[in-house]
């Protein structure tokens, strides 16, 4: 009998084991087609609450609901067979208490099949992270610029400069000690991100935090050039799909109006030739 290799979907322990090794590749996804597109190339796929801005036209992530995250999580899960799926806990679903966080995290995992949840916050969320991990819910932490706290942070500013440096190091150590299997560093000075990466035993996944992190994440619509309302400094457009799509739509409209589409090859005859 011949033996054949079988692949399996990555788990949080697999991501943790990548600390200090080959860089972790992560992108967001919100739909089944995009999930299928990125699955074989990514170690981790994040169903981010950025979906509110990217697909729903919201001005920030604050209006994203549990129902939205469940719906998009279910769609992404249908397209994955390789990458670990992590789902964001939306604003207001975990901050009140560890018990509240557990109820909502358990719902997200049960209804979507996600392998882990992600929540924002450092020292002040360590108790919640430990509570979740102790009850079987893997947690990816998120520190630095935390978009759900944009109103208290005073905007989408770089975090960790000046007096904020020591606070961010404390945040990273706190979430690692609480049991998070990885931590996102968003909009953090490169030198500080390198220092945090060296000091914590869990992988750091950067977004606007330099190349020294253990991995990188981008919003897929940003890097593909599909979302063009604004472009953060840390985004590189690896494609211009939005421009290409608009050109295709314009060509379609023109051909409909001049009646060159549909052509004969796109139409059906009255009778089938024998």
């Amino acid at each position: 009998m011949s033996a054949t290799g079988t692949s399996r979907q990555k788990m949080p322990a697999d991501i943790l084991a990548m600390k200090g090794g080959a860089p972790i590749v992560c992108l967001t996804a919100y739909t089944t087609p995009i999930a299928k597109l990125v699955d074989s190339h990514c170690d981790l796929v994040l169903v981010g609450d950025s979906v509110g801005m990217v697909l729903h036209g919201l001005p920030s992530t604050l209006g994203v609901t549990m129902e939205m995250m469940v719906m998009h999580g279910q769609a992404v899960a249908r397209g994955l067979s390789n990458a670990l799926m992590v789902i964001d806990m939306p604003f207001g679903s975990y901050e009140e208490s560890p018990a509240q966080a557990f109820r909502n995290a358990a719902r997200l995992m049960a209804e979507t099949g996600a392998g882990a949840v992600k929540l924002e916050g450092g020292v002040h969320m360590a108790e919640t992270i430990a509570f979740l991990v102790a009850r079987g819910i893997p947690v990816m932490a998120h520190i630095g610029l935390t978009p759900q706290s944009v109103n208290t942070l005073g905007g989408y500013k770089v975090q960790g400069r000046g007096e904020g440096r020591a606070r961010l190091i404390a945040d990273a150590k706190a979430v690692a000690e609480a049991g998070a299997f990885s931590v996102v560093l968003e909009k953090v000075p490169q030198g500080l991100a390198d220092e945090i990466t060296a000091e914590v035993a869990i992988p750091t996944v950067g977004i606007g935090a330099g190349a020294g992190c253990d991995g990188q994440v981008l919003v897929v619509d940003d890097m593909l050039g599909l979302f063009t309302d604004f472009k953060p400094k840390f985004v590189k457009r690896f494609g211009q799909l939005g421009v290409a799509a608009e050109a295709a739509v314009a060509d379609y409209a023109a051909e409909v109006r001049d009646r060159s589409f549909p052509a004969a090859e796109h139409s059906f005859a009255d009778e089938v030739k024998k």
Side-chain angles (χ1 to χ4, degrees), residues 155-224:
Y156 297 94
K157 301 175 181 178
V158 174
Q159 301 296 308
R161 288 175 173 157
E163 295 179 356
R165 186 180 186 90
R167 183 168 60 250
L168 204 56
I169 292 173
D171 282 339
K173 290 181 177 179
V175 299
E177 292 169 2
F181 71 90
S182 60
V183 57
V184 171
L185 305 182
E186 181 167 357
K187 220 163 182 181
V188 173
Q190 183 171 348
L192 176 56
D194 290 349
E195 182 179 344
I196 290 173
T197 300
E199 290 197 14
V200 297
I202 61 174
T204 57
V205 179
I207 177 167
C213 293
D214 293 300
Q216 299 293 328
V217 59
L218 282 177
V219 171
V220 69
D221 296 73
D222 283 341
M223 59 83 66
L224 290 177

Side-chain angles (χ1 to χ4, degrees), residues 95-269:
E95 297 91 340
E96 181 180 328
S97 68
Q100 181 210 29
F102 177 79
R103 286 192 300 272
N104 286 317
R107 178 189 171 190
L108 285 175
M109 291 185 69
E111 295 187 22
T112 68
V117 300
K118 181 170 77 64
L119 56 80
E120 297 180 4
V123 171
H124 70 285
M125 291 308 302
E127 179 186 358
T128 295
I129 293 171
F131 189 91
L132 295 181
V133 172
R135 287 157 180 78
I137 296 180
V139 177
M140 183 179 202
H142 183 156
I143 63 173
L145 173 62
T146 47
Q148 293 175 8
S149 302
V150 63
N151 291 326
T152 56
L153 294 175
Y156 297 94
K157 301 175 181 178
V158 174
Q159 301 296 308
R161 288 175 173 157
E163 295 179 356
R165 186 180 186 90
R167 183 168 60 250
L168 204 56
I169 292 173
D171 282 339
K173 290 181 177 179
V175 299
E177 292 169 2
F181 71 90
S182 60
V183 57
V184 171
L185 305 182
E186 181 167 357
K187 220 163 182 181
V188 173
Q190 183 171 348
L192 176 56
D194 290 349
E195 182 179 344
I196 290 173
T197 300
E199 290 197 14
V200 297
I202 61 174
T204 57
V205 179
I207 177 167
C213 293
D214 293 300
Q216 299 293 328
V217 59
L218 282 177
V219 171
V220 69
D221 296 73
D222 283 341
M223 59 83 66
L224 290 177
L226 287 169
F227 182 80
T228 57
D229 288 1
F230 58 87
K231 178 182 174 293
K233 179 181 179 179
F234 54 76
V235 168
K236 176 179 178 179
R237 299 225 190 275
F238 287 82
Q240 295 291 345
L241 272 60
V243 173
E246 185 174 2
V249 171
D251 288 346
Y252 164 74
E255 290 192 17
V256 168
R257 291 186 176 114
D258 69 16
R259 295 188 183 277
S260 61
F261 177 84
E265 63 265 30
H266 309 117
S267 305
F268 299 94

